[in-house]
Amino acid sequence: MSSSDNLLVDTTTRIFQDLADPQTVNAATNEVWKTELWTALEESALTLAWVSDDRGGGGANLADGFDILNVSGRFAVPVPLGETLLAGWLLDAAGLPSPPGQMSVAPARLRDRLTIGPNGTLSGKALGIPFAGSVGFIVALADQDGMPHVVQIAPQDCTILSAPGLSGDGRDAVTFDSAAPVAMAPLPANLGDQALGLMGAAVRASQIGGALQAILNITTEYAQERTAFGRKISKFQAVQHNLAKLAGETAAAVAAASSAADTIQTMEDFNDSVFFETASAKIRVGEAAGEGAAIAHQIHGAIGFTDEHVLHRFTQRLWAWRDDFGNESEWAVQLGNFIANGGADELWPLLASR
Amino acid sequence: MSQAINFDPIRLPPEAEELRLEVRAFLAEEITNGGFDPTATIMKSGFDREFSKRVGAKGWIGMTWPKKYGGQERSFLERYVVTEEFRVANAPVTAHFTADRQSGPVLLKYAPEHIKLDVLPSITLGECCFCIGMSEPNSGSDLFAASTRATATDGGFLINGSKLWTSNAHQADYMIGLFRTSPCTKENRRHGLTQFLVKLKQSGITINPVRNMAGKHEFNEVLFENLFIPEDHVLGEVDGAWKQATSELAYERSGPERFLETFYVLTELVRILGDKPDARAAEGIGRLVAQVHTLRRMSVSVNGMLQAGKEPVLEGSIVKDVGTLWEQALPAHARNLSAFIDSNPTNRAAFDELLQFATTIAPKLTIQGGTTEVLRGIIARGLGLR
């Protein structure tokens, strides 16, 4: 992705620069800026970018949406932009209109399952739902007679146990028992039975890629400013090599995320290619998030561990995002079984086909 | 943002995928006909001039070069497919790969026309093998410390000194050598080195074997004693070799050979773990596959940038840094993941043998063609730290 060839990217970048500069918001004493940021994103049709024009959305293609998410990662986005994009995408896929305002999605963990009973109400519990306590609606995937359906639910109809999560943005336990959907429609079959897990993983991969790009810049600049033992720490070979490793992890994350995004953009169905690319991306990007955050903190020393420095805005979201929609281990077991099932002689043809 | 690291998700074009099918058919037929033995290529030797000639006859050596020098004027992405398919098939490419990847492009850029017309076509036919004369007893990673002298004389230069760790010098026809033509200056310690085309099979050159720890003879010591090199064999600017190095690095460092050298270990690991691995083995395979997929996507992306005429030196160095560390760590991962497999599946012995071999050669992977430390220095420079 290059930022100059895409109007949506430029618009998104400008909004975040103006209203969500990490330094400014980290020092803010209230959260008025969050409302202003959301209003600006909504007015530019970014929050419903993946909803078609005729259902009240931005009508952007999937690739553009992933580019928007990469930018949001560069600013350690503290509002449910990715979640709302995902919710709009699900509603739109099921032919349902999207409401304005903030939304989240459920389940956000691969093992959680929700069902719809004969009377049309939901049952089941989903853990780690981002922003569940503060959004207008939760859009969930739930099975009715074994068929996945998209349902739109008001959070006040659920029991929500709030928790801040690693990022402080909220990762809430939501019990859906007896909640009646505001809207409901079947999920098209071509999106398969892991639609939300895969799309959510690709969303987080794009955001992590962006956050690592920002961390690389912040850390490189810090190393060039900070003096110790009589010289800039960027002049120490040990520090240079750590930064080179950080660049390598960032590169891997960006490459894996954009490859998965490109695959989802190009494929009609959520087929084996989408699974292979997205699972690979979430694994590799999750590994890069852990390694990258550790290096960035090491180079920053004590200042990076303080509340007043912006670094934690990024690293805490890296840790939260790598857990959402399947962590590295969960996807790796799925991918490993997929490879084992194909057999040794199909491994290279599969890799080469991408 | 002070710098941007980007890897566009480039896909190989249809003509490259068509070529892939042709390459696979050729390789399958070679293996069936006994043209080469993949296991022997890994464990014993990848040097096979007759095989290289058959590859040359297909037009797959120097395939991006101009037709007047024997090339096919095909794209870097088509070459990429040929390189990766040959590598994964464990085909014996040693006799032509150095010339195809590095030496040919140097000649194309810096050799006089009559030398290009003389040497390049024979490379493309698989009849001409190159080695690289850079390291010396007292200069390895520190390339610019090279001290083997090239002294100007009537009509050319006299070479005295030695090169060391020179892979395949004993089998090669030519070396591209880096020799000292002037002392370095106070302002520029990289000044004073010149690249030369050196014909190896002549008097004035003595080549002695240096056996490696895997028991193979690949390394050599090359001694020069008053070797005369005519002045039209100077490649590029006298004293200015340092200016010529950087643009070639992206080609040399970003290819699939920079992460696929031990790939057979992963394939055989998947084979012996079978179709129902336990969670631990499945996770291990999943991570390794995700990592190598990502490396390949990075590498294809860099080659797409090269095809577009860019010079992605930073990105290319990153591919080699991350890629060589991955292929080096792969045998250790495979060792752990295979720990709980029965010792009696029929292919266990073959797996163990390959694993032992890969473990033995792993140390060289982060040394050859630029060490991890040197690469990280280049990446640090790319980040603006030097």
Side-chain angles (χ1 to χ4, degrees), chain A residues 1 213 217 224 235 240 243 245 251-252 255 258-259 262-263 277 284 287 329 332 335-336 340 344-345 348 351-352 354, chain B residues 1-3 5-8 11 20 84-85 88 267 271 274 277 282-283 286-287 291 293-294 296-298 376 384-386:
Chain A
M1 187 201 75
Q213 286 170 308
N217 285 326
Q224 289 169 311
K235 296 297 168 195
Q240 291 185 351
L243 281 166
K245 271 171 73 178
S258 51
S259 188
D262 173 70
T263 305
E277 288 256 8
R284 188 61 187 89
E287 290 176 345
S329 291
L335 180 59
D345 295 324
W348 173 251
L351 285 163
R354 301 310 311 152
Chain B
M1 305 288 144
S2 58
Q3 70 274 319
I5 288 183
N6 283 318
F7 286 85
D8 291 334
R11 304 287 167 186
R20 184 191 302 284
E84 67 176 359
E85 290 294 333
V88 169
T267 308
R271 199 183 309 283
E283 179 179 356
R287 283 185 189 257
Q291 290 158 357
H293 163 71
T294 302
R296 183 173 174 278
R297 300 294 299 132
M298 293 163 77
R376 291 197 172 156
L385 301 173
R386 288 189 175 183

Short mmCIF file of all heavy atoms in Angstrom, two decimals, chain A residues 1 213 217 224 235 240 243 245 251-252 255 258-259 262-263 277 284 287 329 332 335-336 340 344-345 348 351-352 354, chain B residues 1-3 5-8 11 20 84-85 88 267 271 274 277 282-283 286-287 291 293-294 296-298 376 384-386:
data_model
loop_
_atom_site.label_atom_id
_atom_site.label_comp_id
_atom_site.label_asym_id
_atom_site.label_seq_id
_atom_site.Cartn_x
_atom_site.Cartn_y
_atom_site.Cartn_z
N MET A 1 0.83 -1.19 0.00
CA MET A 1 0.00 0.00 0.00
C MET A 1 0.86 1.24 0.00
O MET A 1 1.74 1.39 0.82
CB MET A 1 -0.86 0.00 1.26
CG MET A 1 -1.89 1.08 1.30
SD MET A 1 -2.43 1.40 2.98
CE MET A 1 -1.02 2.30 3.61
N GLN A 213 4.48 -0.57 11.94
CA GLN A 213 5.13 0.48 11.15
C GLN A 213 5.32 1.74 11.99
O GLN A 213 6.38 2.37 11.95
CB GLN A 213 4.27 0.81 9.91
CG GLN A 213 4.36 -0.27 8.83
CD GLN A 213 3.34 -0.06 7.71
OE1 GLN A 213 2.14 0.08 7.98
NE2 GLN A 213 3.79 -0.07 6.48
N ASN A 217 8.94 3.52 13.48
CA ASN A 217 9.29 4.93 13.35
C ASN A 217 9.56 5.59 14.70
O ASN A 217 10.56 6.28 14.88
CB ASN A 217 8.15 5.69 12.66
CG ASN A 217 8.13 5.41 11.17
OD1 ASN A 217 9.18 5.23 10.56
ND2 ASN A 217 6.96 5.35 10.60
N GLN A 224 17.54 7.92 18.00
CA GLN A 224 18.38 8.98 17.45
C GLN A 224 18.38 10.24 18.32
O GLN A 224 19.19 11.14 18.12
CB GLN A 224 17.90 9.33 16.03
CG GLN A 224 18.24 8.23 15.04
CD GLN A 224 17.55 8.41 13.70
OE1 GLN A 224 16.35 8.64 13.63
NE2 GLN A 224 18.31 8.30 12.63
N LYS A 235 23.78 4.89 17.85
CA LYS A 235 25.14 4.61 17.35
C LYS A 235 25.69 3.31 17.92
O LYS A 235 26.75 2.85 17.49
CB LYS A 235 26.08 5.78 17.68
CG LYS A 235 25.70 7.07 16.99
CD LYS A 235 25.78 6.94 15.46
CE LYS A 235 25.14 8.11 14.74
NZ LYS A 235 24.90 7.82 13.32
N GLN A 240 21.40 -0.85 17.05
CA GLN A 240 21.14 -0.90 15.60
C GLN A 240 20.61 -2.26 15.19
O GLN A 240 19.70 -2.38 14.38
CB GLN A 240 22.42 -0.58 14.83
CG GLN A 240 22.87 0.86 14.97
CD GLN A 240 24.08 1.18 14.10
OE1 GLN A 240 24.70 0.28 13.53
NE2 GLN A 240 24.42 2.45 14.03
N LEU A 243 17.08 -2.73 16.20
CA LEU A 243 16.18 -1.98 15.30
C LEU A 243 16.06 -2.69 13.95
O LEU A 243 14.99 -2.71 13.35
CB LEU A 243 16.69 -0.54 15.11
CG LEU A 243 16.35 0.39 16.27
CD1 LEU A 243 17.15 1.68 16.18
CD2 LEU A 243 14.85 0.73 16.27
N LYS A 245 16.19 -5.89 13.55
CA LYS A 245 15.26 -7.00 13.80
C LYS A 245 13.82 -6.51 13.81
O LYS A 245 12.92 -7.15 13.29
CB LYS A 245 15.57 -7.66 15.16
CG LYS A 245 16.59 -8.77 15.07
CD LYS A 245 17.02 -9.25 16.44
CE LYS A 245 15.96 -10.06 17.16
NZ LYS A 245 16.46 -10.53 18.48
N ALA A 251 8.39 -5.75 8.56
CA ALA A 251 8.28 -6.12 7.15
C ALA A 251 7.46 -7.39 6.99
O ALA A 251 6.57 -7.47 6.13
CB ALA A 251 9.68 -6.31 6.55
N ALA A 252 7.73 -8.38 7.83
CA ALA A 252 7.00 -9.64 7.74
C ALA A 252 5.51 -9.41 8.01
O ALA A 252 4.65 -9.94 7.30
CB ALA A 252 7.58 -10.66 8.72
N ALA A 255 3.89 -7.55 5.06
CA ALA A 255 3.78 -8.41 3.87
C ALA A 255 2.69 -9.45 4.05
O ALA A 255 1.89 -9.70 3.15
CB ALA A 255 5.13 -9.08 3.58
N SER A 258 -0.85 -7.70 4.08
CA SER A 258 -1.34 -7.20 2.79
C SER A 258 -1.58 -8.35 1.82
O SER A 258 -2.46 -8.25 0.96
CB SER A 258 -0.42 -6.12 2.20
OG SER A 258 0.89 -6.55 2.17
N SER A 259 -0.85 -9.45 1.97
CA SER A 259 -1.11 -10.60 1.10
C SER A 259 -2.47 -11.21 1.42
O SER A 259 -3.23 -11.58 0.50
CB SER A 259 0.01 -11.64 1.30
OG SER A 259 -0.11 -12.67 0.36
N ASP A 262 -5.19 -8.83 0.15
CA ASP A 262 -5.28 -8.94 -1.31
C ASP A 262 -6.04 -10.21 -1.72
O ASP A 262 -6.82 -10.20 -2.67
CB ASP A 262 -3.85 -8.96 -1.88
CG ASP A 262 -3.82 -9.23 -3.37
OD1 ASP A 262 -4.24 -8.35 -4.13
OD2 ASP A 262 -3.38 -10.34 -3.75
N THR A 263 -5.81 -11.29 -0.99
CA THR A 263 -6.49 -12.55 -1.32
C THR A 263 -7.99 -12.43 -1.07
O THR A 263 -8.80 -12.85 -1.90
CB THR A 263 -5.91 -13.69 -0.47
OG1 THR A 263 -4.49 -13.73 -0.68
CG2 THR A 263 -6.50 -15.03 -0.86
N GLU A 277 -4.09 -18.06 3.47
CA GLU A 277 -3.44 -16.75 3.56
C GLU A 277 -3.77 -16.04 4.88
O GLU A 277 -2.91 -15.41 5.49
CB GLU A 277 -3.88 -15.86 2.38
CG GLU A 277 -3.28 -16.29 1.05
CD GLU A 277 -2.13 -15.39 0.61
OE1 GLU A 277 -1.71 -14.53 1.40
OE2 GLU A 277 -1.69 -15.55 -0.54
N ARG A 284 1.78 -15.16 11.63
CA ARG A 284 3.05 -14.45 11.47
C ARG A 284 2.98 -13.04 12.05
O ARG A 284 3.92 -12.56 12.66
CB ARG A 284 3.45 -14.40 9.99
CG ARG A 284 4.85 -13.85 9.74
CD ARG A 284 5.90 -14.72 10.40
NE ARG A 284 7.25 -14.15 10.33
CZ ARG A 284 7.76 -13.33 11.24
NH1 ARG A 284 7.02 -12.92 12.28
NH2 ARG A 284 8.99 -12.88 11.12
N GLU A 287 3.13 -13.25 15.80
CA GLU A 287 4.52 -13.44 16.25
C GLU A 287 5.29 -12.12 16.18
O GLU A 287 6.03 -11.77 17.10
CB GLU A 287 5.21 -14.50 15.37
CG GLU A 287 4.68 -15.91 15.59
CD GLU A 287 5.29 -16.95 14.65
OE1 GLU A 287 5.92 -16.57 13.64
OE2 GLU A 287 5.14 -18.14 14.94
N SER A 329 -1.34 -19.70 18.15
CA SER A 329 -1.41 -21.14 18.38
C SER A 329 -2.68 -21.74 17.77
O SER A 329 -2.63 -22.81 17.15
CB SER A 329 -1.38 -21.44 19.88
OG SER A 329 -0.12 -21.14 20.39
N ALA A 332 -2.37 -21.80 14.09
CA ALA A 332 -1.29 -22.70 13.66
C ALA A 332 -1.74 -24.16 13.71
O ALA A 332 -1.39 -24.96 12.84
CB ALA A 332 -0.04 -22.48 14.51
N LEU A 335 -3.94 -24.59 10.70
CA LEU A 335 -3.14 -24.59 9.46
C LEU A 335 -2.31 -25.86 9.36
O LEU A 335 -2.21 -26.48 8.29
CB LEU A 335 -2.25 -23.34 9.40
CG LEU A 335 -1.37 -23.20 8.16
CD1 LEU A 335 -2.21 -23.16 6.88
CD2 LEU A 335 -0.51 -21.92 8.25
N GLY A 336 -1.72 -26.27 10.49
CA GLY A 336 -0.90 -27.49 10.50
C GLY A 336 -1.73 -28.71 10.12
O GLY A 336 -1.28 -29.56 9.34
N ALA A 340 -1.14 -31.09 6.94
CA ALA A 340 -0.97 -32.53 7.14
C ALA A 340 -1.99 -33.31 6.32
O ALA A 340 -1.67 -34.34 5.71
CB ALA A 340 -1.11 -32.88 8.62
N ALA A 344 2.66 -34.18 2.33
CA ALA A 344 3.96 -33.55 2.11
C ALA A 344 4.13 -33.04 0.68
O ALA A 344 4.67 -31.96 0.45
CB ALA A 344 5.08 -34.53 2.45
N ASP A 345 3.64 -33.83 -0.28
CA ASP A 345 3.91 -33.47 -1.67
C ASP A 345 3.02 -32.33 -2.18
O ASP A 345 3.25 -31.81 -3.27
CB ASP A 345 3.77 -34.70 -2.57
CG ASP A 345 4.84 -35.74 -2.22
OD1 ASP A 345 5.97 -35.30 -1.89
OD2 ASP A 345 4.56 -36.94 -2.26
N TRP A 348 4.62 -27.74 -1.20
CA TRP A 348 5.22 -26.74 -2.08
C TRP A 348 4.25 -26.21 -3.13
O TRP A 348 4.14 -24.98 -3.30
CB TRP A 348 6.51 -27.26 -2.72
CG TRP A 348 6.99 -26.27 -3.73
CD1 TRP A 348 7.00 -26.40 -5.08
CD2 TRP A 348 7.47 -24.93 -3.45
NE1 TRP A 348 7.44 -25.24 -5.68
CE2 TRP A 348 7.73 -24.33 -4.71
CE3 TRP A 348 7.67 -24.19 -2.29
CZ2 TRP A 348 8.21 -23.02 -4.81
CZ3 TRP A 348 8.14 -22.88 -2.39
CH2 TRP A 348 8.41 -22.31 -3.65
N LEU A 351 2.22 -23.53 -1.46
CA LEU A 351 2.96 -22.29 -1.23
C LEU A 351 3.16 -21.54 -2.55
O LEU A 351 2.99 -20.32 -2.63
CB LEU A 351 4.32 -22.60 -0.60
CG LEU A 351 4.30 -22.99 0.88
CD1 LEU A 351 5.60 -23.68 1.27
CD2 LEU A 351 4.06 -21.77 1.76
N ALA A 352 3.54 -22.28 -3.58
CA ALA A 352 3.84 -21.65 -4.87
C ALA A 352 2.59 -21.09 -5.54
O ALA A 352 2.69 -20.17 -6.36
CB ALA A 352 4.52 -22.66 -5.80
N ARG A 354 0.40 -19.30 -4.23
CA ARG A 354 0.07 -17.98 -3.68
C ARG A 354 1.07 -16.94 -4.13
O ARG A 354 1.26 -15.94 -3.56
CB ARG A 354 0.00 -18.04 -2.15
CG ARG A 354 -1.02 -19.00 -1.60
CD ARG A 354 -2.41 -18.87 -2.21
NE ARG A 354 -2.87 -17.49 -2.21
CZ ARG A 354 -3.71 -16.99 -3.09
NH1 ARG A 354 -4.21 -17.73 -4.04
NH2 ARG A 354 -4.06 -15.72 -3.02
N MET B 1 5.65 9.97 8.75
CA MET B 1 6.44 8.73 8.86
C MET B 1 7.82 8.99 8.26
O MET B 1 7.93 9.41 7.11
CB MET B 1 5.76 7.59 8.11
CG MET B 1 4.31 7.34 8.55
SD MET B 1 4.15 6.57 10.17
CE MET B 1 2.68 7.40 10.77
N SER B 2 8.86 8.70 9.00
CA SER B 2 10.20 9.02 8.51
C SER B 2 10.66 8.04 7.45
O SER B 2 11.39 8.37 6.54
CB SER B 2 11.19 9.04 9.68
OG SER B 2 11.20 7.80 10.34
N GLN B 3 10.24 6.80 7.53
CA GLN B 3 10.51 5.89 6.42
C GLN B 3 9.37 4.88 6.37
O GLN B 3 8.68 4.66 7.35
CB GLN B 3 11.84 5.14 6.62
CG GLN B 3 11.85 4.11 7.74
CD GLN B 3 12.18 4.75 9.08
OE1 GLN B 3 13.06 5.59 9.14
NE2 GLN B 3 11.49 4.36 10.12
N ILE B 5 8.29 0.99 5.26
CA ILE B 5 8.62 -0.34 4.77
C ILE B 5 7.36 -0.91 4.16
O ILE B 5 6.36 -1.10 4.85
CB ILE B 5 9.14 -1.23 5.91
CG1 ILE B 5 10.54 -0.75 6.30
CG2 ILE B 5 9.16 -2.69 5.50
CD1 ILE B 5 11.19 -1.59 7.35
N ASN B 6 7.38 -1.09 2.85
CA ASN B 6 6.19 -1.58 2.17
C ASN B 6 6.50 -2.82 1.36
O ASN B 6 7.57 -2.94 0.77
CB ASN B 6 5.63 -0.51 1.24
CG ASN B 6 4.88 0.57 2.01
OD1 ASN B 6 4.12 0.25 2.93
ND2 ASN B 6 5.10 1.81 1.66
N PHE B 7 5.58 -3.75 1.38
CA PHE B 7 5.71 -4.93 0.52
C PHE B 7 4.38 -5.11 -0.20
O PHE B 7 3.46 -5.70 0.34
CB PHE B 7 6.04 -6.17 1.36
CG PHE B 7 7.45 -6.21 1.86
CD1 PHE B 7 7.81 -5.57 3.02
CD2 PHE B 7 8.43 -6.87 1.14
CE1 PHE B 7 9.12 -5.59 3.48
CE2 PHE B 7 9.74 -6.90 1.58
CZ PHE B 7 10.09 -6.26 2.76
N ASP B 8 4.29 -4.57 -1.42
CA ASP B 8 3.05 -4.71 -2.17
C ASP B 8 2.78 -6.19 -2.44
O ASP B 8 3.70 -6.94 -2.74
CB ASP B 8 3.16 -3.96 -3.51
CG ASP B 8 3.21 -2.46 -3.29
OD1 ASP B 8 2.68 -2.01 -2.25
OD2 ASP B 8 3.79 -1.75 -4.13
N ARG B 11 1.46 -10.59 -7.24
CA ARG B 11 1.26 -11.98 -7.64
C ARG B 11 2.03 -12.23 -8.93
O ARG B 11 2.19 -11.33 -9.74
CB ARG B 11 -0.22 -12.28 -7.88
CG ARG B 11 -1.13 -11.97 -6.71
CD ARG B 11 -0.99 -12.97 -5.57
NE ARG B 11 -1.66 -12.45 -4.38
CZ ARG B 11 -1.62 -13.03 -3.19
NH1 ARG B 11 -0.93 -14.14 -3.01
NH2 ARG B 11 -2.23 -12.51 -2.16
N ARG B 20 6.04 -22.15 -14.98
CA ARG B 20 6.21 -23.06 -13.84
C ARG B 20 5.84 -24.50 -14.23
O ARG B 20 6.54 -25.44 -13.88
CB ARG B 20 5.34 -22.59 -12.67
CG ARG B 20 5.54 -23.42 -11.39
CD ARG B 20 4.50 -23.12 -10.32
NE ARG B 20 4.46 -21.72 -9.92
CZ ARG B 20 5.35 -21.13 -9.12
NH1 ARG B 20 6.36 -21.83 -8.63
NH2 ARG B 20 5.23 -19.86 -8.80
N GLU B 84 12.96 -20.84 -7.96
CA GLU B 84 12.34 -21.51 -6.80
C GLU B 84 11.99 -22.96 -7.12
O GLU B 84 12.16 -23.84 -6.27
CB GLU B 84 11.14 -20.73 -6.25
CG GLU B 84 9.92 -20.64 -7.13
CD GLU B 84 8.74 -19.93 -6.43
OE1 GLU B 84 8.86 -19.53 -5.26
OE2 GLU B 84 7.69 -19.77 -7.08
N GLU B 85 11.54 -23.24 -8.33
CA GLU B 85 11.21 -24.63 -8.66
C GLU B 85 12.46 -25.51 -8.69
O GLU B 85 12.44 -26.64 -8.21
CB GLU B 85 10.47 -24.70 -10.01
CG GLU B 85 9.05 -24.13 -9.97
CD GLU B 85 8.09 -24.95 -9.08
OE1 GLU B 85 8.32 -26.16 -8.90
OE2 GLU B 85 7.12 -24.35 -8.56
N VAL B 88 13.55 -26.05 -4.93
CA VAL B 88 12.70 -26.96 -4.16
C VAL B 88 12.83 -28.40 -4.67
O VAL B 88 12.73 -29.35 -3.89
CB VAL B 88 11.22 -26.48 -4.19
CG1 VAL B 88 10.30 -27.53 -3.63
CG2 VAL B 88 11.09 -25.19 -3.39
N THR B 267 9.38 -30.38 4.20
CA THR B 267 8.59 -31.34 3.41
C THR B 267 8.64 -32.73 4.06
O THR B 267 7.61 -33.38 4.25
CB THR B 267 9.14 -31.44 1.97
OG1 THR B 267 9.22 -30.12 1.44
CG2 THR B 267 8.25 -32.29 1.09
N ARG B 271 5.86 -35.18 6.02
CA ARG B 271 5.65 -36.57 5.61
C ARG B 271 5.68 -37.51 6.82
O ARG B 271 4.78 -38.32 6.99
CB ARG B 271 6.73 -36.98 4.59
CG ARG B 271 6.34 -38.21 3.76
CD ARG B 271 7.44 -38.66 2.80
NE ARG B 271 7.99 -37.61 1.96
CZ ARG B 271 7.40 -37.10 0.87
NH1 ARG B 271 6.23 -37.56 0.50
NH2 ARG B 271 7.99 -36.15 0.17
N GLY B 274 2.74 -37.35 9.30
CA GLY B 274 1.52 -38.03 8.83
C GLY B 274 0.31 -37.12 8.78
O GLY B 274 0.38 -35.92 9.04
N PRO B 277 -1.44 -35.35 12.81
CA PRO B 277 -0.47 -34.92 13.82
C PRO B 277 -1.17 -34.53 15.12
O PRO B 277 -2.34 -34.12 15.09
CB PRO B 277 0.19 -33.70 13.17
CG PRO B 277 -0.82 -33.16 12.22
CD PRO B 277 -1.60 -34.36 11.73
N ALA B 282 1.01 -30.23 14.96
CA ALA B 282 0.23 -29.41 14.03
C ALA B 282 0.58 -27.93 14.21
O ALA B 282 0.77 -27.21 13.23
CB ALA B 282 -1.27 -29.64 14.25
N GLU B 283 0.68 -27.49 15.47
CA GLU B 283 1.03 -26.08 15.71
C GLU B 283 2.41 -25.77 15.13
O GLU B 283 2.61 -24.72 14.50
CB GLU B 283 1.01 -25.76 17.20
CG GLU B 283 1.42 -24.31 17.43
CD GLU B 283 1.42 -23.86 18.89
OE1 GLU B 283 1.03 -24.65 19.77
OE2 GLU B 283 1.81 -22.70 19.12
N GLY B 286 2.17 -25.56 11.40
CA GLY B 286 1.42 -24.36 11.04
C GLY B 286 2.27 -23.10 11.13
O GLY B 286 2.26 -22.26 10.23
N ARG B 287 3.03 -23.00 12.20
CA ARG B 287 3.89 -21.81 12.35
C ARG B 287 4.96 -21.76 11.26
O ARG B 287 5.21 -20.72 10.65
CB ARG B 287 4.55 -21.79 13.72
CG ARG B 287 3.61 -21.35 14.85
CD ARG B 287 4.36 -21.23 16.16
NE ARG B 287 3.48 -21.01 17.28
CZ ARG B 287 3.29 -19.82 17.88
NH1 ARG B 287 3.93 -18.76 17.47
NH2 ARG B 287 2.46 -19.71 18.90
N GLN B 291 5.39 -18.94 8.38
CA GLN B 291 6.63 -18.16 8.29
C GLN B 291 7.22 -18.22 6.88
O GLN B 291 7.64 -17.21 6.32
CB GLN B 291 7.63 -18.68 9.32
CG GLN B 291 7.22 -18.35 10.76
CD GLN B 291 7.87 -19.26 11.80
OE1 GLN B 291 8.61 -20.19 11.47
NE2 GLN B 291 7.58 -19.01 13.07
N HIS B 293 5.67 -19.03 4.10
CA HIS B 293 4.75 -18.34 3.18
C HIS B 293 5.00 -16.84 3.19
O HIS B 293 5.09 -16.20 2.14
CB HIS B 293 3.30 -18.64 3.58
CG HIS B 293 2.29 -17.70 2.98
ND1 HIS B 293 1.97 -17.70 1.63
CD2 HIS B 293 1.55 -16.71 3.53
CE1 HIS B 293 1.07 -16.75 1.40
NE2 HIS B 293 0.79 -16.14 2.53
N THR B 294 5.15 -16.29 4.40
CA THR B 294 5.40 -14.84 4.52
C THR B 294 6.72 -14.46 3.86
O THR B 294 6.80 -13.45 3.14
CB THR B 294 5.39 -14.43 6.00
OG1 THR B 294 4.13 -14.79 6.58
CG2 THR B 294 5.60 -12.94 6.15
N ARG B 296 8.19 -15.96 1.42
CA ARG B 296 8.06 -16.02 -0.03
C ARG B 296 7.30 -14.81 -0.56
O ARG B 296 7.66 -14.24 -1.59
CB ARG B 296 7.36 -17.31 -0.45
CG ARG B 296 7.26 -17.45 -1.95
CD ARG B 296 6.72 -18.81 -2.38
NE ARG B 296 6.53 -18.81 -3.82
CZ ARG B 296 5.45 -18.30 -4.43
NH1 ARG B 296 4.46 -17.79 -3.71
NH2 ARG B 296 5.36 -18.32 -5.74
N ARG B 297 6.26 -14.41 0.15
CA ARG B 297 5.50 -13.23 -0.30
C ARG B 297 6.38 -11.97 -0.25
O ARG B 297 6.24 -11.09 -1.09
CB ARG B 297 4.24 -13.05 0.55
CG ARG B 297 3.28 -14.23 0.51
CD ARG B 297 2.65 -14.43 -0.87
NE ARG B 297 1.90 -13.28 -1.26
CZ ARG B 297 2.00 -12.68 -2.46
NH1 ARG B 297 2.82 -13.14 -3.38
NH2 ARG B 297 1.28 -11.61 -2.72
N MET B 298 7.26 -11.87 0.77
CA MET B 298 8.19 -10.74 0.84
C MET B 298 9.16 -10.78 -0.34
O MET B 298 9.44 -9.77 -0.99
CB MET B 298 8.99 -10.79 2.15
CG MET B 298 8.15 -10.56 3.40
SD MET B 298 9.00 -11.11 4.92
CE MET B 298 10.17 -9.78 5.16
N ARG B 376 22.44 -6.58 9.06
CA ARG B 376 21.77 -5.68 10.02
C ARG B 376 22.38 -4.29 9.99
O ARG B 376 21.69 -3.30 10.21
CB ARG B 376 21.80 -6.30 11.41
CG ARG B 376 20.90 -7.53 11.42
CD ARG B 376 20.52 -7.98 12.79
NE ARG B 376 19.52 -9.04 12.64
CZ ARG B 376 19.27 -9.97 13.54
NH1 ARG B 376 19.96 -9.97 14.67
NH2 ARG B 376 18.36 -10.88 13.34
N GLY B 384 18.36 4.91 8.47
CA GLY B 384 18.92 6.23 8.74
C GLY B 384 19.76 6.31 10.00
O GLY B 384 20.03 7.39 10.52
N LEU B 385 20.21 5.16 10.51
CA LEU B 385 20.96 5.16 11.77
C LEU B 385 22.45 5.30 11.57
O LEU B 385 23.19 5.49 12.52
CB LEU B 385 20.68 3.85 12.52
CG LEU B 385 19.22 3.59 12.86
CD1 LEU B 385 19.04 2.20 13.44
CD2 LEU B 385 18.71 4.63 13.83
N ARG B 386 22.93 5.15 10.30
CA ARG B 386 24.38 5.24 10.07
C ARG B 386 24.69 6.31 9.05
O ARG B 386 23.84 6.62 8.22
CB ARG B 386 24.91 3.90 9.55
CG ARG B 386 24.92 2.86 10.63
CD ARG B 386 25.65 1.62 10.16
NE ARG B 386 25.75 0.66 11.27
CZ ARG B 386 26.40 -0.50 11.18
NH1 ARG B 386 27.04 -0.82 10.07
NH2 ARG B 386 26.44 -1.31 12.20
#
